[in-house]
């Protein structure tokens, strides 16, 4: 072995631990999920949606989001025109309950909740559950001045809201920065930008996420978590047949 | 204001229908309302749900900063007020059939309706009221009515108990076109099964629900406390339901007893997998109370011909059939296919155990023939009166077995719907088409057309209307 070969062999050995320290795409997604929602089995989240540029949908709306990580989410509108409307998201599908119709109607996850925010945006808060992750062809990019990993997520569940997502994650913190949310055809449906990680009811999470329309960027909806509390919501409430019961 | 606005609307609509007769016969109005109730599935849901995002190519503009929002936690027991204004013009085109020979009753009509529906929660109470004005171009308003459709108080006790008391609807059915388990609400209006026009009302009841981890139990007791329920609705009753989820199957078991009757049992099940949902509701119980023609009443007994002759000219042939003996099965089995938020197809088979059998239908046709033949006798006046009652028999779906198919598609702001309910005994059908155009998030215009087809002696072929068209405007507030 020449001196040069020996030098490069040492370099390779030295470099190996450094590459192993680089987290996998799945690990990065797991950390992103932890910033999107606390890892608790049963939660009650108070959230506010503010929409701009969406005509009559513009304005502020308040919702309660009951999350059980073994079932799904039950989102209830508590003010405005949609007061009493409920959106149920489970692995079996999505439903809307309108007080006047007294029955649950099946929906798709892309159905809009308010403005640019889809039902899936507020009910499916785990990318790891819904998407397979891999590094994008250009795995590192600078987004909004931050050094980011770029991940390509592909839907693995029929209940996934989007067919694919290009996710930019801050390398320094592991927090999500931006996501391009795409349809099956590959067209851009929406862009999501994630706010800073802050303390909400004792949990360090991304408090605000803003969704911009894929075509008209003047249309946006910001989803903000105002309160988070552990809950004890019974499993039985996460069924289409029980949506008439006050949550 | 309300007095003049519908008239202005009427003036506008007269331009569309310039040469239309007016309703003149009270019985005809009953039938007309029935036909409205049976006709077509509108695109009402589209008004309740915002359409899916459409999106396009890669965005080029710079991202906008996250707006700052300051809001308190949700106030869950607050006070709210909402509702909508509803204006509708309807034209019914009469035709000559065996129950309306030569358009005897001159049933073509043009009617107008203006209504305001107000609803909202207040300190734990939920209420909804409907005020309406109905009239014709000659007489406006012909009828004024205010109904308190719902007033109830619901309270959660801990995480698992819920108690509600007051006038309200309870929905235990999975089917769209028929409700075998609809003990605490009216049967669906097929022209508006999701009640976008705000016409449905509840019953006065007390409901207690226990939500377990796996099983949900509900017990309900109801009565006609306000005395405003039709006497053929069995308002005094109790019922209980136990439901549970088995994987992707949601199933429930129901027992129910109406006052003075034996207990009936039923159940509901639905299965969801991707874009497909299968569902079924069934109830086996006493025949039940209903208003019907004297000549066709009874517990499954065909009226003898001589009895028909005796009953040919009764002063009031309609009686309240209290059911008596006999058990009947009411059921609906269906499939819903919704591959996207913009496309939905629903098909259901309906069985009404209390419907008229083939023999009873023949008796009815004989009755009609007798009355029609009497038009050329000195008893013409009585014959006309009885033919109007014969028309009344056709209110609602009166036979046993039906097929219901409905499809809807949303194209941007436009929603299109087509549906049919067809009688399996005679092949006659009601065909319905509707188009809904949304204006922003709060307003919509709905045009619908209904047509009745079938042979001269078939259920829908007998109806004295060929087509019904309507245009309605709705705006929520």
């Amino acid at each position: 072995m020449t001196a040069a070969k020996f030098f490069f062999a040492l370099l390779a050995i030295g470099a190996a631990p450094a590459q192993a320290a680089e987290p996998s795409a799945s690990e990065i997604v797991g950390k992103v999920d932890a910033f999107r929602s606390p890892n608790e089995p049963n939660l009650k989240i108070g959230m506010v949606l503010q929409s701009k540029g969406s005509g009559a949908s513009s304005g502020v709306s308040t919702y309660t989001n009951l999350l059980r990580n073994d079932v799904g989410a039950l989102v209830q509108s508590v003010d405005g025109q949609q007061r009493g409307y409920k959106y149920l998201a489970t692995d079996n599908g999505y439903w809307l309950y309108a007080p006047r119709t007294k029955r649950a109607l099946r929906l798709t996850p892309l159905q809009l909740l308010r403005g640019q925010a889809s039902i899936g945006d507020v009910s499916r808060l785990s990318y790891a559950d819904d998407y397979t992750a891999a590094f994008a062809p250009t795995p590192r990019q600078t987004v909004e001045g931050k050094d980011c990993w770029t991940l390509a997520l592909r839907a693995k569940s029929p209940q996934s809201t989007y067919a694919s997502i290009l996710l930019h994650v801050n390398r320094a913190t592991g927090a999500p920065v931006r996501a391009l949310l795409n349809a099956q055809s590959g067209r851009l449906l929406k862009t999501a930008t994630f706010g800073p990680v802050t303390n909400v009811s004792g949990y360090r999470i991304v408090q605000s996420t803003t969704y911009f329309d894929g075509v008209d960027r003047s249309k946006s909806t910001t989803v903000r978590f105002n309160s988070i509390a552990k809950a004890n919501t019974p499993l039985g409430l996460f069924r289409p047949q029980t949506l008439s019961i006050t949550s | 204001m309300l007095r003049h606005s519908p008239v202005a609307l009427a003036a506008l609509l007269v331009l569309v229908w310039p040469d239309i007769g007016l309703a003149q016969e009270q019985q005809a109005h009953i039938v007309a309302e029935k036909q409205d109730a049976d006709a077509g599935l509108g695109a009402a849901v589209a008004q309740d749900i915002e359409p899916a995002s459409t999106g396009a190519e890669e965005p080029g503009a710079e991202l906008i900063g996250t707006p700052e929002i300051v809001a308190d936690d949700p106030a869950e027991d607050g006070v709210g007020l909402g509702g909508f204004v509803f204006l509708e013009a309807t034209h019914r085109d009469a035709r000559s059939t065996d129950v309306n020979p030569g358009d005897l009753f001159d049933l073509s009509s043009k009617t107008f309706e203006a209504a305001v529906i107000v609803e909202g929660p207040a300190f734990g109470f939920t209420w909804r009221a409907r005020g309406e004005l109905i009239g014709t171009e000659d007489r406006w308003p012909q009828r004024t009515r205010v109904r308190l459709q719902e007033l109830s108080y619901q309270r959660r006790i801990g995480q698992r108990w819920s108690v509600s008391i007051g006038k309200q609807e309870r929905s235990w059915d999975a089917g769209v076109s028929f409700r075998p388990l609809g003990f605490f609400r009216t049967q669906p209006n097929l022209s508006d099964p999701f009640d976008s026009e705000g016409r449905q009302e509840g019953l006065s009841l007390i409901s207690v629900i226990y939500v377990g981890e796996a099983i949900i139990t509900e017990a309900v007791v109801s009565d006609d406390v306000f005395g405003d329920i039709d006497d053929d609705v069995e308002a005094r009753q109790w019922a209980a339901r136990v439901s549970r989820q088995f994987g992707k199957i949601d199933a429930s078991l129901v027992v129910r007893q109406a006052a003075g009757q034996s207990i009936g049992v039923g159940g509901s099940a639905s299965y969801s997998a991707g874009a497909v949902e299968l569902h079924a509701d069934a109830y086996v119980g006493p025949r039940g109370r209903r208003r019907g023609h004297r000549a066709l009443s009874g517990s499954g007994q065909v009226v003898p011909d001589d009895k028909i002759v005796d009953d040919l000219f009764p002063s009031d042939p309609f009686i309240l059939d209290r059911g008596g003996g006999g058990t009947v099965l009411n059921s609906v089995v269906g499939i819903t296919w919704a591959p996207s938020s913009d496309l939905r197809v629903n098909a259901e088979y309906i069985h009404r155990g209390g419907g008229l059998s083939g023999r009873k239908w023949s008796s009815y046709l004989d009755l009609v023939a007798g009355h029609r033949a009497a038009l050329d006798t000195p008893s013409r006046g009585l014959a006309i009166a009885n033919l109007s009652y014969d028309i009344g028999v056709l209110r609602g779906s009166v036979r046993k077995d039906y097929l219901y198919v409905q499809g809807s598609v949303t194209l941007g702001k436009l929603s299109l719907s087509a549906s049919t309910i067809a009688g399996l005994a005679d092949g006659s059908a009601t065909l319905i088409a509707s188009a809904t155009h949304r204006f922003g998030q709060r307003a919509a215009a709905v045009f619908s057309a209904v047509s009745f087809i079938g042979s001269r002696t078939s259920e829908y072929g007998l109806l004295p209307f060929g087509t019904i068209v309507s245009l309605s405007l709705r705006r929520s507030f």
Side-chain angles (χ1 to χ4, degrees), chain A:
Chain A
M1 179 178 289
T2 65
K5 284 182 178 176
F6 181 71
F7 172 77
F8 283 114
L10 281 180
L11 193 64
I13 292 168
Q19 285 179 346
E22 191 85 353
S24 69
S26 299
E27 288 169 336
I28 295 170
V29 168
K31 192 164 186 180
V32 166
D33 285 343
F35 283 123
R36 294 185 71 209
S37 176
N39 185 23
E40 299 283 356
N42 202 324
L43 282 174
K44 180 177 183 178
I45 299 176
M47 59 186 197
V48 173
L49 273 64
Q50 180 173 11
S51 299
K52 291 182 175 179
S54 299
S57 281
S58 297
V60 178
S61 304
T62 310
Y63 296 83
T64 297
N65 192 353
L66 301 173
L67 285 161
R68 268 185 69 133
N69 61 11
D70 59 339
V71 190
L74 175 58
V75 180
Q76 179 176 355
S77 173
V78 295
D79 66 0
Q81 282 237 317
Q82 293 188 337
R83 181 193 285 266
Y85 280 52
K86 295 178 185 176
Y87 303 86
L88 175 65
T90 74
D91 287 339
N92 289 335
Y94 291 76
W95 285 267
L96 161 71
Y97 173 84
R100 192 180 302 132
T101 64
K102 300 289 188 293
R103 62 176 293 130
L105 287 171
R106 282 177 69 85
L107 300 176
T108 66
L110 264 179
Q111 208 89 43
L112 294 176
L113 178 67
R114 190 78 180 172
Q116 304 309 309
S118 298
I119 296 157
D121 291 332
V122 298
S123 62
R124 309 289 292 198
L125 297 178
S126 170
Y127 286 144
D129 286 348
D130 289 346
Y131 303 90
T132 57
F135 284 103
T138 307
R140 287 180 63 173
Q141 289 179 280
T142 299
V143 178
E144 297 183 359
K146 301 181 180 77
D147 181 17
C148 291
W149 286 301
T150 301
L151 304 180
L153 309 185
R154 294 222 158 266
K156 65 180 180 183
S157 158
Q159 304 308 330
S160 304
T161 310
Y162 305 98
S164 66
I165 297 174
L166 196 65
L167 177 65
H168 301 289
V169 182
N170 190 330
R171 289 189 74 240
T173 64
V177 175
R178 188 176 76 176
L180 304 181
L181 311 170
N182 304 308
Q184 187 71 43
S185 63
R187 71 180 178 179
L188 180 74
L189 293 176
K190 286 181 273 184
T191 299
T193 61
F194 300 90
V197 174
T198 55
N199 190 314
V200 180
S201 304
Y203 297 99
R204 285 191 59 74
I205 62 163
V206 173
Q207 186 174 25
S208 298
T209 305
T210 301
Y211 296 88
F212 296 91
D213 183 86
V215 179
D216 184 353
R217 302 186 60 78
S218 67
K219 296 179 179 177
S220 69
T221 296
T222 296
V223 179
R224 177 183 170 105
F225 290 174
N226 271 1
S227 64
I228 301 174
K230 292 180 183 177
N232 188 29
T233 311
L235 181 65
L237 283 183
F238 291 81
R239 290 172 49 189
Q241 285 74 10
T242 53
L243 291 179
S244 62
I245 301 172
T246 299
S247 298

Side-chain angles (χ1 to χ4, degrees), chain B residues 338-353:
Chain B
S340 74
S341 55
D342 297 331
L343 177 63
R344 183 186 301 266
V345 178
N346 187 62
E348 293 181 338
Y349 163 71
I350 299 166
H351 177 73
R352 298 170 179 266

Side-chain angles (χ1 to χ4, degrees), chain B residues 301-324:
Chain B
Q301 299 296 315
V302 176
V303 180
D305 288 346
D306 57 343
K307 184 73 164 54
I308 290 177
V309 173
D310 290 344
D311 285 341
L312 193 57
F313 302 125
S315 58
D316 180 5
F318 275 83
I319 62 168
L320 189 62
D321 182 355
R322 296 189 183 280

Side-chain angles (χ1 to χ4, degrees), chain B residues 243-266:
Chain B
S243 62
R244 176 177 181 141
Q245 200 156 15
F246 301 93
K248 292 188 173 184
I249 298 175
D250 222 314
S252 66
L253 182 66
V254 172
V255 294
R256 177 247 190 180
Q257 184 174 33
Q261 296 189 6
S262 55
I263 290 177
V265 297

